Amino acid sequence: MKLISAVIATALLGMAAPALAEIRIAHVYDRTGALEAYAAQSHVGLMMGLEYATDGTMEIDGQPLVVIEKDSQLRPDLGRALLAEAFGDDDAHIAVGPTSSGVALAMLPVAEEFERILIVEPAVADSITGSDWNRYIFRTGRNSSQDAISNAVALGREDMFIATLAQDYAFGRDGVAAFREALDGTGATLVHEEYVPTDTTDFTAAAERIFNAMAGVEGEKRLFVIWAGGNNPMNRIQAMDPSRHGIELASGGNILAAMGAYRDMPGMEGATYYYYEIPQNPVNDWLVEQHFERFGTPPDFFTAGGMAAGLAVVEALRRTGGSTDAEDLIEAMEGMEWETPKGTMRFRAEDHQALQEMYHFRIRVEDDVAWGIPELVRVLGIDDMDIPVRNER
């Protein structure tokens, strides 16, 4: 009898409920290269978003969330291969990333091939949710049009003449194209566009071409800089004294390290995606408090973006009841609203771009702050900006 009981007990143990399956999230991002500071912030934010949304359990209905990290190194070919590896070999259910727009554009067809969701964060180029978009792509990061329209609101007015300086790849060219379009109707005139390689360190020739193009202009003159990553030209061009040509610099928001250059430009106006002191909501309160507690610094530009992506992942999975099927996720995410450090975001059904508020700022300088502080002029809400749909769905 004891032997029979032991056999029965062993059989019952064998019939115990199996452990719930993991939900695997691949984070493919540019940890190596000129955008590594952005990438590091994005990953910290992603993990904090998953933590916040799951109340620290890192589970959804008992299913553990597992994050797989892959370094795309700013290489489009590698980003494409790593995403295929994540979906194929690692069986990742959802992917997030990358940092670079060029890498993102290479990754988009992989999501379509494997029929799995890629949440783009923080790559910005309009073409990601525009001409190169497919239905498996969602973006929590802002796009070039959101940057452009918010900055056009801040800078565009009668008798304002603007030149642009941008990097010669998708981020820079899409950004300028969207800015040019957004200026239409504001009364401002775009006089000159200048593009330079991403690794440029000597901006003398580019600046001289801009100064010459603006030489005969009468009115307010601004040089609007659109730049991502290292070698930011703001300080170098400011050292060339553009004011002798009647030109003032302008730019959008950036990471805190880059905004050290803004200390030399008090009163400069622009628009930004995030600055930790601006949004007033419970999610941002938690992020700011926890980031100071864990790292001794405020959360930065891309920390907020990474957190928004993590929050979107959990919200979508909750709406599907934990299903990772792409069709279930698409149905749940189209039109989905969720709370982020920037307040409410909404995935637009037409192109899966996250609509979100932006912030018109004016730079203030304080002796004990190492960067120019983007002081809020006004919040530009979702309904204050007409963001074009640029895909052909």
Side-chain angles (χ1 to χ4, degrees), residues 78-277:
L78 183 58
R80 181 172 56 247
L82 289 176
L83 185 60
E85 178 182 270
F87 286 149
D89 298 342
D90 302 321
D91 197 25
H93 304 103
I94 301 171
V96 178
T99 323
S100 159
S101 291
V103 177
L105 290 168
M107 288 167 57
L108 304 187
V110 179
E112 185 172 35
E113 177 186 348
F114 282 86
E115 298 184 346
R116 297 193 189 181
I117 302 299
L118 169 62
I119 296 178
V120 175
E121 173 66 49
V124 176
D126 270 346
S127 47
I128 293 167
T129 44
S131 57
D132 291 280
W133 175 86
N134 64 71
R135 63 192 296 269
Y136 299 96
I137 306 305
F138 288 78
R139 174 159 49 188
T140 51
R142 89 282 187 202
N143 65 14
S144 292
S145 288
Q146 287 166 316
D147 273 350
I149 290 169
S150 56
N151 277 286
V153 169
L155 298 175
R157 51 185 174 268
E158 293 290 341
D159 297 320
M160 175 66 76
F161 297 89
I162 302 173
T164 59
L165 172 64
Q167 290 153 306
D168 193 7
Y169 79 115
F171 165 74
R173 287 194 172 271
D174 279 13
V176 171
F179 183 68
R180 184 194 318 118
E181 182 181 68
L183 282 179
D184 188 36
T186 67
T189 302
L190 186 58
V191 175
H192 180 77
E193 299 174 18
E194 187 73 27
Y195 300 94
V196 296
T198 58
D199 59 355
T200 300
T201 56
D202 184 352
F203 296 92
T204 305
E208 288 300 328
R209 287 192 291 271
I210 293 167
F211 297 161
N212 290 336
M214 302 283 272
V217 171
E218 296 293 333
E220 289 189 83
K221 294 186 278 189
R222 298 287 186 275
L223 169 54
F224 182 60
V225 178
I226 299 176
W227 199 267
N231 303 329
N232 192 297
M234 296 285 283
N235 272 341
R236 295 177 179 88
I237 294 176
Q238 184 74 354
M240 298 177 204
D241 191 18
S243 61
R244 64 193 163 93
H245 302 284
I247 300 170
E248 295 181 22
L249 293 182
S251 190
N254 211 319
I255 63 173
L256 299 179
M259 290 200 299
Y262 293 9
R263 284 181 56 81
D264 296 329
M265 296 165 244
M268 183 184 82
E269 291 188 52
T272 189
Y273 166 81
Y274 177 79
Y275 181 67
Y276 74 100
E277 292 182 326

Side-chain angles (χ1 to χ4, degrees), residues 248-382:
E248 295 181 22
L249 293 182
S251 190
N254 211 319
I255 63 173
L256 299 179
M259 290 200 299
Y262 293 9
R263 284 181 56 81
D264 296 329
M265 296 165 244
M268 183 184 82
E269 291 188 52
T272 189
Y273 166 81
Y274 177 79
Y275 181 67
Y276 74 100
E277 292 182 326
I278 292 178
Q280 303 296 314
N281 62 71
V283 181
N284 193 55
D285 291 345
W286 182 89
L287 173 60
V288 172
E289 178 185 355
Q290 289 298 312
H291 204 279
F292 268 112
E293 184 175 311
R294 300 176 193 190
F295 305 105
T297 60
D300 213 337
F301 208 79
F302 297 103
T303 320
M307 187 174 186
L311 294 165
V313 168
V314 175
E315 178 67 21
L317 288 167
R318 286 215 171 104
R319 292 186 180 213
T320 66
S323 170
T324 56
D325 178 78
E327 295 304 319
D328 292 341
L329 287 166
I330 291 170
E331 183 178 355
M333 294 170 75
E334 287 189 340
M336 182 180 89
E337 292 189 351
W338 76 104
E339 297 307 311
T340 80
K342 297 181 59 183
T344 303
M345 287 190 184
R346 180 193 310 144
F347 279 131
R348 184 164 56 184
E350 291 86 348
D351 60 357
H352 302 174
Q353 172 62 47
L355 302 180
Q356 55 200 277
E357 64 187 31
M358 302 285 280
Y359 310 105
H360 176 187
F361 68 80
R362 183 178 295 113
I363 291 297
R364 185 181 85 247
V365 176
E366 293 185 1
D367 291 341
D368 59 347
V369 179
W371 52 83
I373 300 168
E375 187 174 50
L376 181 66
V377 175
R378 66 171 172 135
V379 174
L380 302 173
I382 288 175

Side-chain angles (χ1 to χ4, degrees), residues 11-33:
L12 289 173
L13 285 172
M15 294 171 60
L20 291 172
E22 298 174 342
I23 297 175
R24 288 180 290 280
I25 304 160
H27 193 198
V28 183
Y29 64 120
D30 303 297
R31 284 191 315 201
T32 304

